[in-house]
Amino acid sequence: MNKNIAVIKGDGIGPEIIEQAQLVLDKIAIKYGHRFNYTDVDMGGVAIDKWGEPLPDNMLDLCIKSDSVLLGAVGGNKWNTLPGHMRPEKGLLKLRAGMEAYSNNRPAKIWKQLASASPLRKEIVERGIDFIIVRELTGGVYFGEHKTETQNGIRYASDLLIYSEKEIERICRIGFETAKRRRKKLCSVEKSNVLDSSRLWKKVVHEIAEEYPDIELTDMLVDNCAMQIVKDPSQFDVIVTENMFGDILSDEASMITGSIGMIPSSSLGNGTNGVYEPIHGSAPDIAGMDIANPIGTILSAAMMLKYSFGLEEEAECIEKAVSDYLDAGYRTADIMPHHENEKKSCTLVSCSKCGTLISEFIV
Ligand code: IPM
Ligand code: MG
C-alpha cells in the first residue's frame, strides 16, 4: 500500500515525538511491504515564525490532499502573548475545521503494566478502565464568535457557545455507532440544567436514540461526570460530549490511566482522511531534553493505520510492540513508578530510546 502522510511536527516536544512515530511507521512499512511518503507541513508557532500565520492556506491544502495527517503538538510560551487569531492553537482549529474532522475519538484505557501509575486507588483501577470519549471537535465555544471590548471604561470578553441540531446529530450518531462496536453503553454528557445548547443536545441525542434500541443511553451532567470519572470509571463505555467538555474530561480521563503521554486520538469527518495526534500538548518545559513519552504519538500512528488506511493487523502489531516494551520494564520518566520496589524492575529510557526499542519489538 502506498500512502501520503502529511506530517506536522509542530512546536515544543512535537518534533521529538513525531520522529519516534515515523521510526515505528518505517519499520511497519518494511515488515508489511508498504510505502509511506511523508510531506512536512508547518503549523503552529513554527509556521508563525516562518510564514507569519499559524496555518497558511497552502499548508492546509497539503493536509486536505494527503491520505492522512500525523500531528505532534503546537504552542509555546514564545507565542502566548499574540492575539487569539494569531496563536499556534488557531492553526490546530483551522486544521480541524478545514478537514471537517468533527469527530474526535479519545480512548482512556489502562495498560495492565501501568496500573500502579494511576493516581486512583488499586480497588478502583481493578474494576477496569476502558472507555472512549467521543468529543465534538469543530463546533461549540471553540468556533463561536470571540469578542473583547471596552464599554464605559470596563473591559468585557465573550465567547459564543453555539450548536446546530445537525452538528449534534452527526456526533451523537458517531457515539451510538462507537458504542455498538463495544459494550453498547452510551453516556451523553452536557450541562442541561444551565445551558440552552445542552438542552438542545439532550433532545437531539434522545431523538437519535430511537434508531439504536440496543444501546443503553444515559444522560449525565458534566460536573457529575468529572466526579464519576475518578469515583468509578468502570461505569463508562462510550461518552459523547461537546467540544469544550470533551477537552476537559479527556485530560482527566487520561490522567487516571497513568499518564497523558500514553493517549492517542483520531479526528475524522465523513471520509477516511483524518488527523492523528496525542492528546497532550507541546510541553515546552521539557522540549529538546529527549525525555518526553512518544507512546501517545506512536499509538496515534497505529490509529491512523487502522481507521484511515484499514490496516488493522499493522495497527495491532504496533500496539503489541508497545505492550512488549512495557512488559520489558522500559519507562520514560512520566510513567516511572514511584515505589522503590517497583522501580527496581524498570529501566528509565529517553524519548528516542523508547522509539528505537518499540520499533525493535516489531519483528
Ligand atoms: C486538545 C488541546 C487543544 C484543544 C488546544 C491545544 C487548542 O488541548 O487537543 O485537547 O483545546 O482542543
Ligand atoms: Mg486538551
Side-chain angles (χ1 to χ4, degrees), residues 74 89 92-93 96 106 135 137 142 247 251 277 279:
V74 296
E89 290 81 0
L92 183 57
L93 301 189
R96 289 170 177 172
R106 299 189 161 188
R135 169 189 175 193
L137 203 61
Y142 276 60
D247 176 46
D251 269 33
E277 55 176 317
I279 77 157

Side-chain angles (χ1 to χ4, degrees), residues 282-301:
S282 59
D285 53 325
I286 58 164
M289 291 164 70
D290 197 20
I291 60 170
N293 185 351
I295 293 182
T297 318
I298 290 170
L299 292 173
S300 297

Side-chain angles (χ1 to χ4, degrees), residues 31-64:
K31 175 169 177 179
Y32 291 92
H34 301 308
R35 202 191 148 97
F36 300 131
N37 312 303
Y38 305 113
T39 306
D40 278 318
V41 168
D42 295 325
M43 186 179 95
V46 57
I48 295 171
D49 289 350
K50 212 158 145 190
W51 309 107
E53 51 178 315
L55 181 62
D57 288 342
N58 60 332
M59 293 286 157
L60 174 61
D61 271 352
L62 288 174
C63 295
I64 293 173

Side-chain angles (χ1 to χ4, degrees), residues 70-293:
L70 183 66
L71 163 61
V74 296
N77 302 337
K78 184 176 170 195
W79 307 280
N80 274 353
T81 49
L82 292 172
H85 69 281
M86 275 293 294
R87 289 182 57 118
E89 290 81 0
K90 203 65 185 188
L92 183 57
L93 301 189
K94 182 172 169 181
L95 175 72
R96 289 170 177 172
M99 293 194 52
E100 294 173 38
Y102 63 84
S103 167
N104 183 216
N105 179 327
R106 299 189 161 188
K109 189 173 170 178
I110 196 140
W111 291 78
K112 63 178 191 317
Q113 300 94 329
L114 300 181
S116 66
S118 172
L120 297 185
R121 281 205 313 275
K122 200 163 163 262
E123 60 268 32
I124 299 178
V125 175
E126 276 167 0
R127 267 182 246 147
I129 302 176
D130 179 9
F131 63 97
I132 289 182
I133 297 181
V134 174
R135 169 189 175 193
E136 200 292 324
L137 203 61
T138 54
V141 73
Y142 276 60
F143 291 90
E145 190 191 5
H146 306 293
K147 225 162 61 186
T148 304
E149 57 192 346
T150 303
Q151 281 174 24
N152 303 327
I154 312 265
R155 287 172 297 171
Y156 292 84
S158 64
D159 304 278
L160 181 66
L161 199 182
I162 180 165
Y163 269 109
S164 75
E165 60 177 318
K166 291 277 169 232
E167 287 174 298
I168 300 172
E169 194 183 312
R170 65 183 183 179
I171 193 66
C172 288
R173 250 177 233 290
I174 303 278
F176 281 108
E177 290 295 332
T178 309
K180 209 165 142 182
R181 293 192 298 270
R182 293 174 48 97
R183 303 194 299 276
K184 303 195 167 38
K185 281 168 60 176
L186 180 66
C187 179
S188 162
V189 172
E190 29 70 4
K191 186 74 185 168
S192 58
N193 53 347
V194 178
L195 303 175
D196 261 25
S197 55
S198 281
R199 287 189 272 270
L200 179 61
W201 179 282
K202 191 170 172 182
K203 253 194 210 114
V204 172
V205 76
H206 280 271
E207 285 163 15
I208 309 288
E210 309 262 304
E211 297 167 33
Y212 295 91
D214 299 344
I215 309 292
E216 180 197 321
L217 172 67
T218 49
D219 304 295
M220 195 176 278
L221 297 174
V222 63
D223 46 352
N224 183 27
C225 182
M227 188 171 75
Q228 296 298 332
I229 284 177
V230 289
K231 188 169 169 246
D232 180 17
S234 75
Q235 68 186 284
F236 296 111
D237 179 18
V238 180
I239 288 174
V240 66
T241 192
E242 66 92 46
N243 204 342
M244 188 160 71
F245 297 159
D247 176 46
I248 299 167
L249 294 177
S250 61
D251 269 33
E252 186 194 14
S254 72
M255 204 53 229
I256 63 168
T257 69
S259 169
I260 193 169
M262 297 288 298
I263 312 285
S265 81
S266 67
S267 306
L268 287 152
N270 292 328
T272 56
N273 183 0
V275 180
Y276 295 84
E277 55 176 317
I279 77 157
H280 61 71
S282 59
D285 53 325
I286 58 164
M289 291 164 70
D290 197 20
I291 60 170
N293 185 351

